[in-house]
Amino acid sequence: IWGALLGAPLGMGGYLMALSMAGPAYVLPITSLYPAIAALLALVFLKERVSLRAWGGLALCVIGAIAIGYTPPEGAGGGLFYLGIAFAFLAAFGWAAEGVCVTSGMDFIEPAVALNVYQIVSSLLYAGIIVPLALWHLSASAPGCDIPGLLARAFSSPGVGCFALAGVVGCISYRCWYKAMNMAGVSRAMALNITYALWGVLFGALFTDVEITRSLVIGAAAIFVGMFLVIGNPRDIINLRNVSS
């Protein structure tokens, strides 16, 4: 429950607010810091040992994500921009705290149960607090906006099927992520999870016209090297967490 309370409003809520205020160029690299924050929290609350090699790997993962996602935004400045940067750091902390909370809880319950609890609490938060606040903000900033009409067009859009498919894929990936944190520990699982920056580049190269630049190649290499530094020797992969039965 604590993972949902921290992950939903602070993580995704802060992420969406940050994107709207500062744009993805600065927000994505900042939110990619959450594995390092999670490693610090796991060190304190879960007593996970983080070696110097693993810290170096985490640093390389973060540097690689920044190299992949960083592009100076045009006309960045003003109070809203800096508020967006603050929301990005808040999102990184929320996602890190979520991982630590759910990993601690999964020592006592199955990952599938923990995921169901998380999704139920998270859905209630979104339906009861986050979405109404977003609609209120929209109506306040655009008094003449037809919110019911926008919602009707959104749910009748041809893209609803794509969103539904994305939801199914997201559910499967979340299930795998929770299982990974339960078995491998927060630091190791999140170091693997941060490779979303790399997969985004690969899929973009395959299905879109994204340009493969030197910074993308350097960032991808840094992420892979960092990921293996966190995992350690290949035989260390089988050294999983001790989970209470």
Side-chain angles (χ1 to χ4, degrees), residues 222-241:
I223 287 177
F224 266 116
V225 174
M227 178 179 64
F228 283 110
L229 283 175
V230 172
I231 294 174
N233 295 327
R235 61 174 176 269
D236 289 341
I237 296 177
I238 63 175
N239 296 331
L240 305 178
R241 298 178 69 246

Side-chain angles (χ1 to χ4, degrees), residues 41-162:
L41 294 177
L43 179 66
V44 175
F45 295 104
L46 300 182
K47 309 304 180 184
E48 287 190 6
R49 291 185 299 174
V50 182
S51 65
L52 290 177
R53 183 200 66 242
W55 280 117
L58 284 170
L60 276 177
C61 286
V62 172
I63 291 172
I66 292 174
I68 288 175
Y70 177 79
T71 303
E74 297 181 2
L80 283 180
F81 172 76
Y82 293 108
L83 183 59
I85 294 299
F87 273 116
F89 278 107
L90 187 64
F93 175 80
W95 285 334
E98 172 198 345
V100 173
C101 288
V102 298
T103 301
S104 178
M106 286 186 294
D107 285 343
F108 306 97
I109 60 176
E110 290 294 323
V113 177
L115 181 56
N116 281 325
V117 172
Y118 171 86
Q119 293 295 349
I120 290 172
V121 176
S122 178
S123 299
L124 292 175
L125 283 172
Y126 277 110
I129 298 177
I130 296 177
V131 172
L133 283 177
L135 294 176
W136 173 81
H137 175 72
L138 179 61
S139 63
S141 59
C145 181
D146 181 18
I147 294 179
L150 287 176
L151 292 175
R153 287 196 297 272
F155 283 104
S156 61
S157 169
V160 170
C162 293

Side-chain angles (χ1 to χ4, degrees), residues 14-25 27-28 84 87-88:
Y15 175 66
L16 295 176
M17 292 295 292
L19 284 178
S20 65
M21 294 179 180
V27 170
L28 290 178
F87 273 116

